[in-house]
């Protein structure tokens, strides 16, 4: 199993550009999460999904959108990039009956 | 909403024991988890407590007291490779009724030779 994979590893965006951060898991987990982590801070939940076709907002959803058309994929969309979105983005998944979250390697995003 | 408090930094020497505390406030509670994150890496799961008491996994143990809204992570026989950030996390009830995870700001553990 590859676990949770994320692409790209690193990206530089200009203000106002858009992009999609990809996240895929091969563990057949129902629950998937998107977090952002700013330097010296904990993880802030952006969006989450409890299964294909179901998504909901987390703590800091503004400026982001998600979709969950399959169990495996949970892409995060930034429509109009802003410098405040400079961060490291982690995707995670977990089985519905377990607490363990499995994290991807992260995407480092710089918005200039 | 949910909030968690943990110390920002802890230092210790190799071979020692260190305890990282976490206090939380949450509406609804679905357990306290601990994660380890090395610089630039992905967080990895260490332990989970749903009920009061101590859970032991090798050199790491985690404790929970629900009445005190308090838990700790205990690391024994410290090794240099334990230098990392440690996050406590709770799953608490969000306004929409789902239980969503909230992470603390993390404790940076520095292990000296």
């Amino acid at each position: 199993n590859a676990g949770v994979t994320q692409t790209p590893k690193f990206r530089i965006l200009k203000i106002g550009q858009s992009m999609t951060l990809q996240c895929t898991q091969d563990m057949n987990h129902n629950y998937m999460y998107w977090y952002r982590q700013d330097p010296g801070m904990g993880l802030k939940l952006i969006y989450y999904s409890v299964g294909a076709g179901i998504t909901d907002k987390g703590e800091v959803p503004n400026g982001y959108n998600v979709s969950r058309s399959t169990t495996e994929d949970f892409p995060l969309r930034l429509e109009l990039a802003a410098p405040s979105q400079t961060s490291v983005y982690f995707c995670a998944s977990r089985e519905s009956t377990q607490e363990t979250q499995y994290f991807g390697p992260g995407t480092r995003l710089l918005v200039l | 909403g949910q909030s968690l408090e943990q110390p920002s930094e802890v230092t210790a020497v190799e071979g020692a024991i260190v305890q990282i505390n976490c206090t939380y406030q949450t509406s609804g509670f679905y357990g306290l988890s601990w994660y380890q994150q090395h610089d630039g890496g992905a967080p990895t799961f260490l332990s989970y407590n749903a009920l009061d008491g101590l859970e032991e996994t090798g050199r790491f143990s985690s404790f929970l007291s629900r009445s005190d809204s308090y838990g700790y992570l205990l690391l024994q026989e410290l090794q240099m490779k334990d230098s990392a950030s440690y996050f406590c996390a709770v799953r608490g009830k969000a306004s929409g009724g789902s239980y969503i995870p909230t992470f603390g700001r993390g404790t940076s553990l520095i292990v000296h030779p």
Side-chain angles (χ1 to χ4, degrees):
Chain A
N1 285 357
V4 181
T5 56
Q6 292 182 238
T7 57
K9 284 188 172 58
F10 178 68
R11 182 79 182 266
I12 300 174
L13 279 184
K14 293 183 181 175
I15 294 171
Q17 285 185 321
S18 62
M19 78 165 291
T20 299
L21 284 68
Q22 302 291 347
C23 175
T24 300
Q25 54 94 7
D26 62 359
M27 296 173 281
N28 202 33
H29 288 168
N30 283 330
Y31 286 71
M32 294 188 76
Y33 304 92
W34 272 107
Y35 297 93
R36 59 176 288 172
Q37 185 177 33
D38 298 323
M41 301 290 283
L43 297 147
K44 300 279 189 187
L45 183 66
I46 305 171
Y47 269 95
Y48 67 102
S49 170
V50 300
I54 307 169
T55 63
D56 208 346
K57 296 177 181 178
E59 188 182 350
V60 290
N62 291 347
Y64 307 94
N65 274 303
V66 293
S67 60
R68 185 94 183 271
S69 56
T70 66
T71 299
E72 294 78 19
D73 299 305
F74 190 39
L76 178 72
R77 179 89 179 153
L78 283 72
E79 289 295 347
L80 288 169
S84 60
Q85 293 177 305
T86 293
S87 192
V88 180
Y89 291 84
F90 288 101
C91 177
S93 72
R94 74 173 177 91
E95 190 187 316
S96 53
T97 59
Q98 300 290 326
E99 281 303 306
T100 307
Q101 290 188 53
Y102 296 87
F103 283 82
T107 293
R108 279 159 179 73
L109 178 65
L110 180 60
V111 182
L112 299 174
Chain B
Q2 282 78 242
S3 68
L4 299 98
E5 293 287 332
Q6 52 181 127
S8 59
E9 186 177 294
V10 172
T11 61
V13 296
E14 244 184 325
I17 300 172
V18 74
Q19 179 174 311
I20 299 173
N21 298 320
C22 175
T23 56
Y24 59 87
Q25 285 186 318
T26 178
S27 49
F29 177 74
Y30 213 90
L32 182 71
S33 299
W34 289 92
Y35 286 80
Q36 179 191 60
Q37 184 182 36
H38 284 100
D39 254 353
T44 56
F45 174 82
L46 291 176
S47 69
Y48 170 69
N49 295 69
L51 302 174
D52 291 353
L54 193 68
E55 293 280 342
E56 296 180 72
T57 312
R59 293 188 299 115
F60 294 179
S61 304
S62 58
F63 171 83
L64 176 66
S65 168
R66 288 175 297 170
S67 60
D68 296 321
S69 298
Y70 163 76
Y72 65 73
L73 180 70
L74 192 74
L75 297 85
Q76 303 181 73
E77 300 171 19
L78 279 175
Q79 302 175 9
M80 297 295 290
K81 67 178 182 179
D82 296 329
S83 292
S85 290
Y86 293 83
F87 296 89
C88 57
V90 293
R91 248 191 334 127
K93 205 168 189 179
S95 54
S98 301
Y99 282 83
I100 63 172
T102 301
F103 282 75
R105 292 178 64 158
T107 298
S108 177
L109 171 64
I110 301 168
V111 180
H112 295 289

